[in-house]
Amino acid sequence: LPPSFCSYGVSRSVVRVSPSTIAKMATTMQPPDPKKFLWERNSKTIKIPKPPTLIQWNSVIDYGWMDSIYENIPKDVEAAERKEAIIKEKDRAATHKSVAHQADVAMRKCLGPRVKRLQDHFKDKKASDVKSRVKEAAKEMGEIRKGLLTRIRASKDEVSQLESVAKIVDKVLVEYERIIDELVNKLMR
């Protein structure tokens, strides 16, 4: 579509779009690809030799077809979306039960404050030296995290009968915090 037509359409709309965005969109428009996006099977491509003027445009568009798009969504598209939602929910439930995943999330949350503490401690030093020291410390803390996760995965007891996921994660987290706090304190001396 010519940018002038897009600008005209947007000028009548409630939503405002900058002329540069309209120009960019006009150059990157592509025909629908139902293989890539199932919902694009509802799209209709109008083949015309040259873009119509604004006045001619109303005769090109089949407004009746456009109004019926949402009424005629194929059932298999809805079924595919429901199936995807079910799979995502199963994945969420599995990660919620996974000791390794929960421990990984908890340990990652510990890293930020420790790195910030190191940055604050070294802020009066030479900038490049601080960056390299903090970067090395963060890398070492990451390696420690990976080692603990490997140990958890090797133990094969995701959740024992006696302990909940939260209790196991708490134990791992306490050990991780102890180790990285020792590392941070050692670097700050």
Side-chain angles (χ1 to χ4, degrees):
L1 295 176
S4 60
F5 178 77
C6 296
S7 298
Y8 173 74
V10 169
S11 69
R12 294 181 6 193
S13 171
V14 176
V15 179
R16 297 289 174 229
V17 181
S18 71
S20 62
T21 302
I22 292 170
K24 183 178 178 186
M25 288 169 59
T27 61
T28 59
M29 283 187 65
Q30 298 174 349
D33 184 359
K35 291 177 185 165
K36 188 174 180 183
F37 303 108
L38 286 177
W39 60 269
E40 286 190 343
R41 289 186 296 177
N42 301 321
S43 300
K44 186 174 184 179
T45 304
I46 303 168
K47 301 215 183 284
I48 48 177
K50 66 176 187 155
T53 64
L54 294 177
I55 296 165
Q56 295 170 326
W57 194 253
N58 287 335
S59 65
V60 174
I61 297 176
D62 176 2
Y63 287 101
W65 173 82
M66 290 177 71
D67 291 339
S68 69
I69 288 174
Y70 297 106
E71 297 168 8
N72 301 316
I73 295 175
K75 299 291 184 230
D76 59 333
V77 172
E78 291 175 359
E81 288 172 352
R82 277 195 304 277
K83 194 178 203 179
E84 191 175 307
I86 290 168
I87 290 169
K88 283 183 179 179
E89 188 54 42
K90 285 181 180 177
D91 286 347
R92 263 188 229 105
T95 56
H96 188 68
K97 291 179 184 175
S98 168
V99 173
H101 177 78
Q102 295 300 321
D104 188 27
V105 169
M107 287 189 283
R108 285 177 185 269
K109 288 179 182 177
C110 290
L111 283 176
R114 273 49 176 212
V115 170
K116 177 78 172 117
R117 197 167 135 207
L118 282 172
Q119 287 171 336
D120 290 345
H121 178 74
F122 292 123
K123 69 180 174 192
D124 296 332
K125 309 282 191 258
K126 187 175 149 190
S128 62
D129 186 42
V130 171
K131 272 188 173 179
S132 64
R133 281 180 149 179
V134 172
K135 191 174 182 178
E136 282 298 315
K139 186 176 179 181
E140 193 171 337
M141 288 184 245
E143 292 301 320
I144 294 166
R145 180 183 56 80
K146 287 177 187 174
L148 288 170
L149 289 172
T150 302
R151 196 175 80 197
I152 290 170
R153 290 184 182 111
S155 71
K156 299 288 185 197
D157 15 283
E158 279 293 303
V159 182
S160 70
Q161 297 291 350
L162 302 173
E163 291 184 292
S164 69
V165 172
K167 285 183 181 176
I168 296 170
V169 169
D170 284 345
K171 283 182 181 179
V172 172
L173 191 57
V174 166
E175 182 180 353
Y176 182 64
E177 286 180 324
R178 181 187 56 77
I179 294 169
I180 63 174
D181 281 339
E182 286 175 8
L183 174 67
V184 169
N185 292 335
K186 184 175 123 185
L187 288 169
M188 290 174 58
R189 285 186 201 129

